PDB file of all heavy atoms in Angstrom:
ATOM      1  N   LEU A 144     -13.723  -1.695  -4.809  1.00 88.00           N
ATOM      2  CA  LEU A 144     -13.440  -3.136  -4.782  1.00 88.00           C
ATOM      3  C   LEU A 144     -12.194  -3.453  -5.619  1.00 88.00           C
ATOM      4  O   LEU A 144     -11.384  -4.315  -5.238  1.00 88.00           O
ATOM      5  CB  LEU A 144     -14.642  -3.916  -5.302  1.00 88.00           C
ATOM      6  CG  LEU A 144     -15.788  -4.060  -4.305  1.00 88.00           C
ATOM      7  CD1 LEU A 144     -17.025  -4.616  -4.973  1.00 88.00           C
ATOM      8  CD2 LEU A 144     -15.373  -4.941  -3.137  1.00 88.00           C
ATOM      9  N   VAL A 145     -12.062  -2.776  -6.742  1.00 87.00           N
ATOM     10  CA  VAL A 145     -10.874  -3.001  -7.567  1.00 87.00           C
ATOM     11  C   VAL A 145      -9.627  -2.535  -6.810  1.00 87.00           C
ATOM     12  O   VAL A 145      -8.594  -3.200  -6.823  1.00 87.00           O
ATOM     13  CB  VAL A 145     -11.013  -2.281  -8.919  1.00 87.00           C
ATOM     14  CG1 VAL A 145      -9.694  -2.283  -9.671  1.00 87.00           C
ATOM     15  CG2 VAL A 145     -12.085  -2.946  -9.774  1.00 87.00           C
ATOM     16  N   ASP A 146      -9.756  -1.408  -6.132  1.00 87.00           N
ATOM     17  CA  ASP A 146      -8.639  -0.926  -5.313  1.00 87.00           C
ATOM     18  C   ASP A 146      -8.268  -1.968  -4.257  1.00 87.00           C
ATOM     19  O   ASP A 146      -7.092  -2.219  -4.004  1.00 87.00           O
ATOM     20  CB  ASP A 146      -9.012   0.383  -4.614  1.00 87.00           C
ATOM     21  CG  ASP A 146      -9.042   1.557  -5.580  1.00 87.00           C
ATOM     22  OD1 ASP A 146      -8.588   1.377  -6.735  1.00 87.00           O
ATOM     23  OD2 ASP A 146      -9.523   2.638  -5.194  1.00 87.00           O
ATOM     24  N   ALA A 147      -9.318  -2.554  -3.665  1.00 85.00           N
ATOM     25  CA  ALA A 147      -9.072  -3.529  -2.600  1.00 85.00           C
ATOM     26  C   ALA A 147      -8.319  -4.744  -3.138  1.00 85.00           C
ATOM     27  O   ALA A 147      -7.613  -5.422  -2.393  1.00 85.00           O
ATOM     28  CB  ALA A 147     -10.394  -3.966  -1.978  1.00 85.00           C
ATOM     29  N   ALA A 148      -8.468  -5.004  -4.429  1.00 84.00           N
ATOM     30  CA  ALA A 148      -7.806  -6.158  -5.036  1.00 84.00           C
ATOM     31  C   ALA A 148      -6.367  -5.840  -5.421  1.00 84.00           C
ATOM     32  O   ALA A 148      -5.616  -6.724  -5.834  1.00 84.00           O
ATOM     33  CB  ALA A 148      -8.583  -6.637  -6.260  1.00 84.00           C
ATOM     34  N   ALA A 149      -5.997  -4.568  -5.264  1.00 86.00           N
ATOM     35  CA  ALA A 149      -4.680  -4.143  -5.745  1.00 86.00           C
ATOM     36  C   ALA A 149      -3.535  -4.824  -4.990  1.00 86.00           C
ATOM     37  O   ALA A 149      -2.468  -5.074  -5.551  1.00 86.00           O
ATOM     38  CB  ALA A 149      -4.546  -2.625  -5.628  1.00 86.00           C
ATOM     39  N   GLY A 150      -3.768  -5.131  -3.714  1.00 85.00           N
ATOM     40  CA  GLY A 150      -2.693  -5.693  -2.907  1.00 85.00           C
ATOM     41  C   GLY A 150      -2.490  -7.190  -3.090  1.00 85.00           C
ATOM     42  O   GLY A 150      -1.832  -7.824  -2.273  1.00 85.00           O
ATOM     43  N   PHE A 151      -3.079  -7.742  -4.155  1.00 90.00           N
ATOM     44  CA  PHE A 151      -2.971  -9.189  -4.356  1.00 90.00           C
ATOM     45  C   PHE A 151      -2.284  -9.499  -5.679  1.00 90.00           C
ATOM     46  O   PHE A 151      -2.442  -8.762  -6.660  1.00 90.00           O
ATOM     47  CB  PHE A 151      -4.369  -9.819  -4.349  1.00 90.00           C
ATOM     48  CG  PHE A 151      -5.058  -9.744  -3.012  1.00 90.00           C
ATOM     49  CD1 PHE A 151      -5.681  -8.570  -2.598  1.00 90.00           C
ATOM     50  CD2 PHE A 151      -5.075 -10.835  -2.162  1.00 90.00           C
ATOM     51  CE1 PHE A 151      -6.307  -8.485  -1.365  1.00 90.00           C
ATOM     52  CE2 PHE A 151      -5.691 -10.765  -0.925  1.00 90.00           C
ATOM     53  CZ  PHE A 151      -6.309  -9.588  -0.522  1.00 90.00           C
ATOM     54  N   THR A 152      -1.552 -10.560  -5.683  1.00 89.00           N
ATOM     55  CA  THR A 152      -0.929 -11.004  -6.934  1.00 89.00           C
ATOM     56  C   THR A 152      -1.994 -11.652  -7.808  1.00 89.00           C
ATOM     57  O   THR A 152      -3.069 -12.031  -7.321  1.00 89.00           O
ATOM     58  CB  THR A 152       0.178 -12.037  -6.669  1.00 89.00           C
ATOM     59  OG1 THR A 152      -0.425 -13.240  -6.175  1.00 89.00           O
ATOM     60  CG2 THR A 152       1.175 -11.524  -5.647  1.00 89.00           C
ATOM     61  N   THR A 153      -1.707 -11.765  -9.095  1.00 89.00           N
ATOM     62  CA  THR A 153      -2.686 -12.390  -9.981  1.00 89.00           C
ATOM     63  C   THR A 153      -2.949 -13.830  -9.566  1.00 89.00           C
ATOM     64  O   THR A 153      -4.073 -14.318  -9.673  1.00 89.00           O
ATOM     65  CB  THR A 153      -2.226 -12.342 -11.449  1.00 89.00           C
ATOM     66  OG1 THR A 153      -0.919 -12.896 -11.534  1.00 89.00           O
ATOM     67  CG2 THR A 153      -2.207 -10.915 -11.957  1.00 89.00           C
ATOM     68  N   GLY A 154      -1.934 -14.483  -9.080  1.00 89.00           N
ATOM     69  CA  GLY A 154      -2.111 -15.854  -8.614  1.00 89.00           C
ATOM     70  C   GLY A 154      -3.086 -15.911  -7.447  1.00 89.00           C
ATOM     71  O   GLY A 154      -3.949 -16.798  -7.384  1.00 89.00           O
ATOM     72  N   GLU A 155      -2.954 -14.969  -6.547  1.00 90.00           N
ATOM     73  CA  GLU A 155      -3.842 -14.924  -5.385  1.00 90.00           C
ATOM     74  C   GLU A 155      -5.271 -14.626  -5.824  1.00 90.00           C
ATOM     75  O   GLU A 155      -6.231 -15.219  -5.313  1.00 90.00           O
ATOM     76  CB  GLU A 155      -3.347 -13.874  -4.391  1.00 90.00           C
ATOM     77  CG  GLU A 155      -2.087 -14.318  -3.655  1.00 90.00           C
ATOM     78  CD  GLU A 155      -1.499 -13.208  -2.784  1.00 90.00           C
ATOM     79  OE1 GLU A 155      -1.744 -12.021  -3.069  1.00 90.00           O
ATOM     80  OE2 GLU A 155      -0.790 -13.535  -1.825  1.00 90.00           O
ATOM     81  N   LEU A 156      -5.413 -13.712  -6.774  1.00 90.00           N
ATOM     82  CA  LEU A 156      -6.763 -13.390  -7.259  1.00 90.00           C
ATOM     83  C   LEU A 156      -7.392 -14.604  -7.937  1.00 90.00           C
ATOM     84  O   LEU A 156      -8.600 -14.816  -7.851  1.00 90.00           O
ATOM     85  CB  LEU A 156      -6.718 -12.201  -8.223  1.00 90.00           C
ATOM     86  CG  LEU A 156      -6.320 -10.866  -7.587  1.00 90.00           C
ATOM     87  CD1 LEU A 156      -6.365  -9.748  -8.609  1.00 90.00           C
ATOM     88  CD2 LEU A 156      -7.229 -10.532  -6.407  1.00 90.00           C
ATOM     89  N   ASP A 157      -6.561 -15.396  -8.567  1.00 90.00           N
ATOM     90  CA  ASP A 157      -7.073 -16.627  -9.163  1.00 90.00           C
ATOM     91  C   ASP A 157      -7.608 -17.566  -8.089  1.00 90.00           C
ATOM     92  O   ASP A 157      -8.653 -18.207  -8.268  1.00 90.00           O
ATOM     93  CB  ASP A 157      -5.973 -17.331  -9.969  1.00 90.00           C
ATOM     94  CG  ASP A 157      -5.733 -16.659 -11.319  1.00 90.00           C
ATOM     95  OD1 ASP A 157      -6.594 -15.855 -11.733  1.00 90.00           O
ATOM     96  OD2 ASP A 157      -4.691 -16.922 -11.939  1.00 90.00           O
ATOM     97  N   VAL A 158      -6.891 -17.634  -6.990  1.00 91.00           N
ATOM     98  CA  VAL A 158      -7.339 -18.485  -5.883  1.00 91.00           C
ATOM     99  C   VAL A 158      -8.697 -18.000  -5.381  1.00 91.00           C
ATOM    100  O   VAL A 158      -9.632 -18.792  -5.187  1.00 91.00           O
ATOM    101  CB  VAL A 158      -6.313 -18.462  -4.725  1.00 91.00           C
ATOM    102  CG1 VAL A 158      -6.915 -19.111  -3.482  1.00 91.00           C
ATOM    103  CG2 VAL A 158      -5.049 -19.183  -5.136  1.00 91.00           C
ATOM    104  N   VAL A 159      -8.815 -16.680  -5.197  1.00 92.00           N
ATOM    105  CA  VAL A 159     -10.072 -16.104  -4.717  1.00 92.00           C
ATOM    106  C   VAL A 159     -11.184 -16.419  -5.712  1.00 92.00           C
ATOM    107  O   VAL A 159     -12.306 -16.781  -5.330  1.00 92.00           O
ATOM    108  CB  VAL A 159      -9.943 -14.578  -4.526  1.00 92.00           C
ATOM    109  CG1 VAL A 159     -11.284 -13.988  -4.131  1.00 92.00           C
ATOM    110  CG2 VAL A 159      -8.894 -14.263  -3.470  1.00 92.00           C
TER     111      VAL A 159
ATOM    112  N   ARG B  35      -9.439  -9.725 -13.994  1.00 77.00           N
ATOM    113  CA  ARG B  35      -9.703 -10.547 -12.820  1.00 77.00           C
ATOM    114  C   ARG B  35     -10.480  -9.790 -11.754  1.00 77.00           C
ATOM    115  O   ARG B  35     -11.389 -10.335 -11.147  1.00 77.00           O
ATOM    116  CB  ARG B  35      -8.379 -11.029 -12.220  1.00 77.00           C
ATOM    117  CG  ARG B  35      -7.730 -12.121 -13.011  1.00 77.00           C
ATOM    118  CD  ARG B  35      -6.475 -12.591 -12.293  1.00 77.00           C
ATOM    119  NE  ARG B  35      -5.788 -13.612 -13.075  1.00 77.00           N
ATOM    120  CZ  ARG B  35      -5.051 -13.352 -14.147  1.00 77.00           C
ATOM    121  NH1 ARG B  35      -4.937 -12.102 -14.575  1.00 77.00           N
ATOM    122  NH2 ARG B  35      -4.444 -14.321 -14.791  1.00 77.00           N
ATOM    123  N   GLU B  36     -10.114  -8.537 -11.520  1.00 78.00           N
ATOM    124  CA  GLU B  36     -10.775  -7.774 -10.462  1.00 78.00           C
ATOM    125  C   GLU B  36     -12.279  -7.648 -10.726  1.00 78.00           C
ATOM    126  O   GLU B  36     -13.090  -7.815  -9.820  1.00 78.00           O
ATOM    127  CB  GLU B  36     -10.170  -6.369 -10.334  1.00 78.00           C
ATOM    128  CG  GLU B  36      -8.683  -6.353 -10.005  1.00 78.00           C
ATOM    129  CD  GLU B  36      -7.831  -6.332 -11.260  1.00 78.00           C
ATOM    130  OE1 GLU B  36      -8.383  -6.622 -12.344  1.00 78.00           O
ATOM    131  OE2 GLU B  36      -6.624  -6.026 -11.156  1.00 78.00           O
ATOM    132  N   LEU B  39     -14.156 -10.762 -10.141  1.00 88.00           N
ATOM    133  CA  LEU B  39     -14.411 -10.990  -8.725  1.00 88.00           C
ATOM    134  C   LEU B  39     -15.601 -10.161  -8.257  1.00 88.00           C
ATOM    135  O   LEU B  39     -16.423 -10.626  -7.467  1.00 88.00           O
ATOM    136  CB  LEU B  39     -13.169 -10.633  -7.902  1.00 88.00           C
ATOM    137  CG  LEU B  39     -11.977 -11.571  -8.108  1.00 88.00           C
ATOM    138  CD1 LEU B  39     -10.834 -11.186  -7.176  1.00 88.00           C
ATOM    139  CD2 LEU B  39     -12.387 -13.014  -7.867  1.00 88.00           C
ATOM    140  N   GLU B 159      -4.204 -20.992   1.047  1.00 90.00           N
ATOM    141  CA  GLU B 159      -5.125 -20.410   0.071  1.00 90.00           C
ATOM    142  C   GLU B 159      -6.355 -19.815   0.769  1.00 90.00           C
ATOM    143  O   GLU B 159      -6.824 -18.739   0.410  1.00 90.00           O
ATOM    144  CB  GLU B 159      -5.549 -21.474  -0.940  1.00 90.00           C
ATOM    145  CG  GLU B 159      -4.444 -21.847  -1.917  1.00 90.00           C
ATOM    146  CD  GLU B 159      -4.806 -23.037  -2.803  1.00 90.00           C
ATOM    147  OE1 GLU B 159      -5.657 -23.846  -2.394  1.00 90.00           O
ATOM    148  OE2 GLU B 159      -4.218 -23.141  -3.892  1.00 90.00           O
ATOM    149  N   ASP B 161      -6.402 -18.592   3.642  1.00 90.00           N
ATOM    150  CA  ASP B 161      -5.957 -17.336   4.246  1.00 90.00           C
ATOM    151  C   ASP B 161      -5.999 -16.205   3.228  1.00 90.00           C
ATOM    152  O   ASP B 161      -6.402 -15.078   3.550  1.00 90.00           O
ATOM    153  CB  ASP B 161      -4.536 -17.482   4.801  1.00 90.00           C
ATOM    154  CG  ASP B 161      -4.511 -18.247   6.124  1.00 90.00           C
ATOM    155  OD1 ASP B 161      -5.597 -18.389   6.735  1.00 90.00           O
ATOM    156  OD2 ASP B 161      -3.431 -18.692   6.536  1.00 90.00           O
ATOM    157  N   VAL B 162      -5.604 -16.518   2.016  1.00 91.00           N
ATOM    158  CA  VAL B 162      -5.657 -15.506   0.951  1.00 91.00           C
ATOM    159  C   VAL B 162      -7.097 -15.056   0.733  1.00 91.00           C
ATOM    160  O   VAL B 162      -7.388 -13.855   0.658  1.00 91.00           O
ATOM    161  CB  VAL B 162      -5.067 -16.064  -0.367  1.00 91.00           C
ATOM    162  CG1 VAL B 162      -5.369 -15.119  -1.522  1.00 91.00           C
ATOM    163  CG2 VAL B 162      -3.568 -16.262  -0.228  1.00 91.00           C
ATOM    164  N   VAL B 163      -7.988 -16.026   0.660  1.00 92.00           N
ATOM    165  CA  VAL B 163      -9.411 -15.699   0.448  1.00 92.00           C
ATOM    166  C   VAL B 163      -9.916 -14.841   1.601  1.00 92.00           C
ATOM    167  O   VAL B 163     -10.646 -13.855   1.394  1.00 92.00           O
ATOM    168  CB  VAL B 163     -10.253 -16.979   0.323  1.00 92.00           C
ATOM    169  CG1 VAL B 163     -11.730 -16.625   0.212  1.00 92.00           C
ATOM    170  CG2 VAL B 163      -9.812 -17.793  -0.890  1.00 92.00           C
ATOM    171  N   HIS B 164      -9.491 -15.215   2.791  1.00 92.00           N
ATOM    172  CA  HIS B 164      -9.905 -14.462   3.970  1.00 92.00           C
ATOM    173  C   HIS B 164      -9.432 -13.015   3.876  1.00 92.00           C
ATOM    174  O   HIS B 164     -10.207 -12.075   4.137  1.00 92.00           O
ATOM    175  CB  HIS B 164      -9.328 -15.128   5.224  1.00 92.00           C
ATOM    176  CG  HIS B 164      -9.884 -14.580   6.509  1.00 92.00           C
ATOM    177  ND1 HIS B 164      -9.507 -13.369   7.029  1.00 92.00           N
ATOM    178  CD2 HIS B 164     -10.814 -15.075   7.366  1.00 92.00           C
ATOM    179  CE1 HIS B 164     -10.166 -13.154   8.163  1.00 92.00           C
ATOM    180  NE2 HIS B 164     -10.966 -14.163   8.382  1.00 92.00           N
ATOM    181  N   ARG B 165      -8.200 -12.836   3.486  1.00 92.00           N
ATOM    182  CA  ARG B 165      -7.664 -11.470   3.344  1.00 92.00           C
ATOM    183  C   ARG B 165      -8.463 -10.701   2.317  1.00 92.00           C
ATOM    184  O   ARG B 165      -8.804  -9.535   2.515  1.00 92.00           O
ATOM    185  CB  ARG B 165      -6.184 -11.538   2.921  1.00 92.00           C
ATOM    186  CG  ARG B 165      -5.198 -11.556   4.057  1.00 92.00           C
ATOM    187  CD  ARG B 165      -3.844 -11.013   3.588  1.00 92.00           C
ATOM    188  NE  ARG B 165      -3.274 -11.769   2.478  1.00 92.00           N
ATOM    189  CZ  ARG B 165      -2.789 -11.208   1.380  1.00 92.00           C
ATOM    190  NH1 ARG B 165      -2.825  -9.895   1.208  1.00 92.00           N
ATOM    191  NH2 ARG B 165      -2.269 -11.964   0.427  1.00 92.00           N
ATOM    192  N   TYR B 166      -8.736 -11.368   1.190  1.00 93.00           N
ATOM    193  CA  TYR B 166      -9.469 -10.667   0.127  1.00 93.00           C
ATOM    194  C   TYR B 166     -10.865 -10.272   0.582  1.00 93.00           C
ATOM    195  O   TYR B 166     -11.301  -9.136   0.396  1.00 93.00           O
ATOM    196  CB  TYR B 166      -9.557 -11.514  -1.137  1.00 93.00           C
ATOM    197  CG  TYR B 166     -10.419 -10.835  -2.186  1.00 93.00           C
ATOM    198  CD1 TYR B 166      -9.896  -9.855  -3.013  1.00 93.00           C
ATOM    199  CD2 TYR B 166     -11.777 -11.129  -2.287  1.00 93.00           C
ATOM    200  CE1 TYR B 166     -10.697  -9.191  -3.933  1.00 93.00           C
ATOM    201  CE2 TYR B 166     -12.588 -10.466  -3.205  1.00 93.00           C
ATOM    202  CZ  TYR B 166     -12.033  -9.508  -4.027  1.00 93.00           C
ATOM    203  OH  TYR B 166     -12.831  -8.843  -4.919  1.00 93.00           O
ATOM    204  N   LEU B 167     -11.568 -11.238   1.183  1.00 93.00           N
ATOM    205  CA  LEU B 167     -12.950 -10.941   1.582  1.00 93.00           C
ATOM    206  C   LEU B 167     -12.987  -9.843   2.640  1.00 93.00           C
ATOM    207  O   LEU B 167     -13.906  -9.010   2.647  1.00 93.00           O
ATOM    208  CB  LEU B 167     -13.635 -12.212   2.098  1.00 93.00           C
ATOM    209  CG  LEU B 167     -14.033 -13.210   1.016  1.00 93.00           C
ATOM    210  CD1 LEU B 167     -14.706 -14.426   1.629  1.00 93.00           C
ATOM    211  CD2 LEU B 167     -14.978 -12.562   0.002  1.00 93.00           C
ATOM    212  N   SER B 168     -11.998  -9.838   3.525  1.00 93.00           N
ATOM    213  CA  SER B 168     -11.941  -8.768   4.524  1.00 93.00           C
ATOM    214  C   SER B 168     -11.774  -7.419   3.836  1.00 93.00           C
ATOM    215  O   SER B 168     -12.428  -6.429   4.195  1.00 93.00           O
ATOM    216  CB  SER B 168     -10.783  -9.011   5.495  1.00 93.00           C
ATOM    217  OG  SER B 168     -10.967 -10.230   6.177  1.00 93.00           O
ATOM    218  N   ALA B 169     -10.887  -7.392   2.847  1.00 92.00           N
ATOM    219  CA  ALA B 169     -10.660  -6.146   2.110  1.00 92.00           C
ATOM    220  C   ALA B 169     -11.925  -5.732   1.372  1.00 92.00           C
ATOM    221  O   ALA B 169     -12.311  -4.551   1.372  1.00 92.00           O
ATOM    222  CB  ALA B 169      -9.508  -6.316   1.124  1.00 92.00           C
ATOM    223  N   ALA B 170     -12.600  -6.702   0.760  1.00 91.00           N
ATOM    224  CA  ALA B 170     -13.827  -6.407   0.016  1.00 91.00           C
ATOM    225  C   ALA B 170     -14.905  -5.896   0.964  1.00 91.00           C
ATOM    226  O   ALA B 170     -15.649  -4.961   0.633  1.00 91.00           O
ATOM    227  CB  ALA B 170     -14.316  -7.651  -0.716  1.00 91.00           C
TER     228      ALA B 170
END
Side-chain angles (χ1 to χ4, degrees):
Chain A
L144 282 170
V145 169
D146 287 350
F151 293 80
T152 68
T153 53
E155 287 173 336
L156 293 182
D157 283 345
V158 169
V159 176
Chain B
R35 285 184 183 77
E36 300 91 345
L39 292 184
E159 288 172 336
D161 283 344
V162 169
V163 176
H164 190 284
R165 269 205 301 132
Y166 175 83
L167 285 180
S168 299

